[in-house]
Each structure stands twice: as C-alpha cells, then as structure tokens.
Amino acid sequence: YLYNNRYAGDQVFRITPNNYEEVQVLKQILGHMKVDFWQPNSASLICHNATVDVHVKHNDTHTLCARLNQERIAYRVFISNLQKEIEKQTGYRSSRKRR
Amino acid sequence: STAQYNYEVYHSLEEIQSWMFEMNRTHPKLVDVFSVGKSYEGRPLHVLQLGKRSHPQKKAVWIDCGVHAREWIGPAFCQWFVKEAINSYQYDSAMRRLLNHLNFYIMPVFNVDGYHFSWTKDRFWRKTRSKNHKFHCRGVDANRNWKVKWCEEGASSHPCDDTYCGPFPESEPEVKAVAKFLRKRKKRVKAYISIHAYAQMLLYPYSYKYATIPNFNCVESAAHNAVTALYSAYGERYRYGPASTTLYVSSGSSIDWAYRNGIQYAFAFELRDTGHFGFLLPESLINPTCTETMKAVKAIASSLLNKC
C-alpha cells in the first residue's frame, strides 16, 4: 500500500455553514479536532456560505458526524476512503509505464 | 527520451529533474536550465528558461508550480506547458511569437523538499520542510513567507499551523532564492504566475487588503480573457478577481510581493477541481486540466505583447 496504508478509512468532509452561528460552532468543533484543512487553509478563514473541506482521520469520522448532526450543520462526505483515492490517483506503476 | 515521456501521469521529483535536463539536452535552442539556489534540505532549485535565444533584454514571464507540496497538478502543468510550447513552436504562430519575444522562466517544483515528502511520507503535506528548533512541527507556508505585509491577517505565527508565515520574511531558502532572482530581473519580468490547486480560480492582487490595484482595468481584462480562453476548451468555469475578495484575505503571498516589486501582471491560478477529488485529481484529468490552463496562460502572455 502507498504511504503504508496510513490513510485507510480516512475521509474528506465537505461542510457548508449557512450562517454566522454555524460558522462559530464549526470553528469550535474543528478547533478541538486534529483535522487537516483542505479548503480554506485554516479554521480562522471559515466563513458562511463558503464550503469547508477537511480531511478527517478514520477514528474521528464518527465523532465529527455526530457533532455536525447534533448541530444540524449541513455536510457530505466527498471522499469516503482516502487511501483508495490515493491508490487510484497514482497506484503502483512501473517507471517504464511513466515513459 | 522526452519523446516518450508521459505527461499524463504524476512524476516524482527525481523524474521531473531528469526530465528538465533532458529537455535542455534535446532542445538547446529553446530550453536552458539553471539553479537559483538550494532548498532547506539542500536540493537544487532548478528553473527552465524557455524561449528563442535572442537579445538578452527580452521581456520575461515567470511561472512557478508546486509552492504547496500536495498540489500535484501544478508540477504536471509546468511540464505540460514546456512540452506544448516546444512542440507547437514550429506550427503555432501565436506560440512562436511568444517564444520569439518573451522568455519564460518555468519552475516546475518550487517546494522541492515538500514535494518529495508528499511522495514518500505524507501525501497531504503542504509546507516546506524547514525545522524550527523551538517547536516539533516542521515547515513554513511558502505562500505566507514573502516580504509583503508579512504575517498579518490570513497567516499564522504558530509553527504547527498550515498557514505558518515563518520566523521572518524570506526565512525559507526557496522563497529567498526566487525573490532574489526576480528582484534582479524585475525590469524584464512583466508577469508572475503561480500555479496552485484546487478551486478553479484566477486571482490577482491584492490578497492582503480589500483595495483595487492601480492598473485594475488592464489586469481585470487580462484575467477575463484568460478565463474565457480556458472555458473555450472544455467549458470549465473559473472565477476570477482580487484574491482578497474572490478567495480570502492572506498576507505574505507571492503575487502581492511580485506586484509590489513592479511586476504589473501577477496571477495565482487555483486549478481543478472544485471539490470532487480535491488534491487527488486523477491522472485522467491531467490532459484536459493542462490543456485549458495552457490557453489561459497563453492569453495572459499575449496580453503582455499588446499595449493596454
């Protein structure tokens, strides 16, 4: 596996805070989790009606789902298994195939 | 050989570096290769000079790719641009005019350490790989490290953050080397283009404030022509405008630095997509993404040869 399969089960969430309150709650939730911001680049840049894409580790996905559901913040999972996407993107190809 | 080089796959740093020397070896009249310095981990920062060798004071366009390590479509585009420019020089009069009147400085991988790390250890690494002896976290955001409104709004002063501005402006050897190169040539370099991903946007100054640049009409027109050209390829829509309003406020960015240093046309592309694959854009989309972006970059370069 690429990267020693370290991304197995990790997911990327797309979260859309609709108003100022949801922005504040979302900053608070994500501020206490170890997530990797894809867009924007940090929690401080989150603003309403702008999508937030975050890479969430596999053992945090349920926690984040529960918190977002509890707060009724709209979200969807746009990459459900990051390791699979990584394998698909480059996969194991011989250098000959690269030429 | 370069004829068999596959431009529709992602290449490792080593492959890209050997490709650069091969392009110079096989196209000596149009391609030159040199280094502007060394990275934090000691890797050479190679740049290609693309253009017909004529008088030394030719206008120039600078294009860098791979400022952020995980944005792999950037280096893929820089290689695609060089290949297309050379292949079309003979039969495309527009490209021939560009290469006869302009030099293109192409830096396929700006953040060489980060890019290598994203291939070997962490696919989603973003920053450089410099070490701050007071903190366990590594790396500076190379697009927050330029000496313009450094480490103000939209950048972080915490070494563990992804938008860390660094201990001081140009602390990153990669940023310092490119800034030094451009500073020396700022009379000749007429456009600065930085390739990022993902959001499908074309951004120009200012990033650090909500304000209109003095040559707004010319830059806005060039941006409009560029995204219109891009759209003509596959119908992909790109938003364009000042980075502060189109994306968000950030300080210490390379386009603001370039603009402040007299480069009248400074753009940052955010290439595909808008959040389906994100940084993991499949190799099957390299061709269309690079083909459309090529049209946009040619439109910007052409606008330099026309008076505005």
Side-chain angles (χ1 to χ4, degrees):
Chain A
Y1 286 102
L2 289 173
Y3 306 98
N4 296 321
N5 207 29
R6 65 181 278 186
Y7 301 103
D10 287 9
Q11 297 186 328
V12 180
F13 283 53
R14 166 153 287 189
I15 308 164
T16 313
N18 289 321
N19 53 48
Y20 178 76
E21 287 69 33
E22 287 191 2
V23 165
Q24 298 314 306
V25 169
L26 186 57
K27 280 185 179 179
Q28 204 259 329
I29 292 172
L30 296 179
H32 286 88
M33 293 181 75
K34 200 157 174 25
V35 294
D36 173 20
F37 280 88
W38 281 25
Q39 236 185 34
N41 300 136
S42 66
S44 63
L45 296 170
I46 296 175
C47 52
H48 72 281
N49 288 336
T51 52
V52 177
D53 296 345
V54 284
H55 163 195
V56 183
K57 292 245 175 281
H58 65 280
N59 47 18
D60 288 333
T61 54
H62 293 301
T63 307
L64 182 56
C65 281
R67 291 298 311 273
L68 292 172
N69 287 334
Q70 181 188 343
E71 302 292 345
R72 298 184 186 283
I73 295 176
Y75 73 93
R76 65 182 176 86
V77 174
F78 81 75
I79 296 181
S80 54
N81 189 326
L82 209 46
Q83 185 71 32
K84 273 194 183 152
E85 282 304 316
I86 288 171
E87 304 288 350
K88 268 186 349 186
Q89 184 184 44
T90 54
Y92 273 52
R93 266 186 312 285
S94 69
S95 61
R96 194 184 59 73
K97 190 82 182 326
R98 291 178 180 287
R99 284 198 170 279
Chain B
S1 73
T2 51
Q4 296 154 332
Y5 192 75
N6 189 347
Y7 289 90
E8 299 195 33
V9 297
Y10 294 108
H11 288 277
S12 67
L13 181 64
E14 292 75 16
E15 290 169 346
I16 294 170
Q17 283 174 336
S18 49
W19 165 82
M20 290 174 83
F21 283 93
E22 193 63 13
M23 291 304 276
N24 169 234
R25 190 185 69 78
T26 52
H27 302 91
K29 289 207 176 91
L30 282 177
V31 178
D32 202 354
V33 61
F34 54 89
S35 170
V36 294
K38 282 201 184 299
S39 70
Y40 178 84
E41 292 180 342
R43 293 184 171 91
L45 300 171
H46 287 311
V47 175
L48 289 177
Q49 178 178 303
L50 190 59
K52 188 173 172 215
R53 293 173 193 282
S54 52
H55 59 79
Q57 293 309 307
K58 265 171 88 178
K59 290 177 186 175
V61 174
W62 168 278
I63 301 176
D64 62 51
C65 297
V67 165
H68 294 134
R70 60 192 180 189
E71 299 167 14
W72 287 9
I73 188 63
F77 172 71
C78 264
Q79 293 171 82
W80 187 279
F81 181 90
V82 172
K83 173 259 287 183
E84 279 300 312
I86 288 169
N87 288 353
S88 60
Y89 181 75
Q90 300 302 334
Y91 66 81
D92 175 2
S93 58
M95 180 54 85
R96 193 164 49 249
R97 180 168 175 253
L98 287 176
L99 292 185
N100 286 349
H101 290 86
L102 295 170
N103 274 342
F104 288 85
Y105 295 117
I106 311 284
M107 190 175 199
V109 187
F110 183 107
N111 177 4
V112 288
D113 300 342
Y115 186 75
H116 180 70
F117 192 74
S118 75
W119 268 74
T120 53
K121 294 288 185 307
D122 181 342
R123 173 64 188 77
F124 302 108
W125 189 257
R126 166 183 166 89
K127 301 191 280 184
T128 61
R129 290 294 301 163
S130 56
K131 187 86 182 69
N132 183 317
H133 66 279
K134 282 182 272 176
F135 288 89
H136 68 283
C137 298
R138 276 185 177 260
V140 166
D141 184 340
N143 206 23
R144 300 294 190 277
N145 190 234
W146 297 75
K147 201 178 287 182
V148 58
K149 285 284 178 214
W150 173 75
C151 215
E152 296 192 18
E153 190 180 347
S156 166
S157 53
H158 194 294
C160 294
D161 284 347
D162 251 359
T163 52
Y164 176 44
C165 56
F168 51 91
E170 294 187 20
S171 60
E172 301 315 281
E174 300 86 349
V175 173
K176 191 175 186 65
V178 171
K180 185 180 170 191
F181 177 86
L182 291 173
R183 262 193 291 267
K184 256 187 174 172
R185 291 164 183 76
K186 59 182 171 184
K187 285 210 172 42
R188 287 196 297 117
V189 176
K190 300 302 177 190
Y192 169 87
I193 295 173
S194 189
I195 305 292
H196 294 255
Y198 59 93
Q200 299 195 191
M201 291 179 182
L202 177 56
L203 308 168
Y204 54 79
Y206 297 110
S207 310
Y208 65 85
K209 64 180 179 182
Y210 298 112
T212 303
I213 50 177
N215 64 336
F216 168 78
N217 289 333
C218 291
V219 170
E220 173 80 356
S221 160
H224 174 76
N225 293 342
V227 300
T228 304
L230 189 146
Y231 176 84
S232 71
Y234 299 102
E236 284 297 316
R237 292 188 188 286
Y238 271 50
R239 293 169 55 214
Y240 66 97
S244 54
T245 48
T246 311
L247 192 54
Y248 39 68
V249 169
S250 73
S251 58
S253 75
S254 61
I255 61 171
D256 285 344
W257 179 88
Y259 193 75
R260 174 167 292 186
N261 276 270
I263 299 174
Q264 288 287 296
Y265 293 81
F267 294 99
F269 277 89
E270 292 278 354
L271 299 190
R272 291 194 196 188
D273 60 15
T274 54
H276 186 74
F277 293 106
F279 300 120
L280 297 175
L281 200 73
E283 291 178 327
S284 57
L285 291 178
I286 290 176
N287 183 329
T289 303
C290 292
T291 299
E292 69 196 9
T293 309
M294 187 79 191
K295 288 181 177 293
V297 170
K298 277 175 75 177
I300 289 171
S302 300
S303 65
L304 299 181
L305 298 182
N306 306 324
K307 276 267 177 264
C308 176

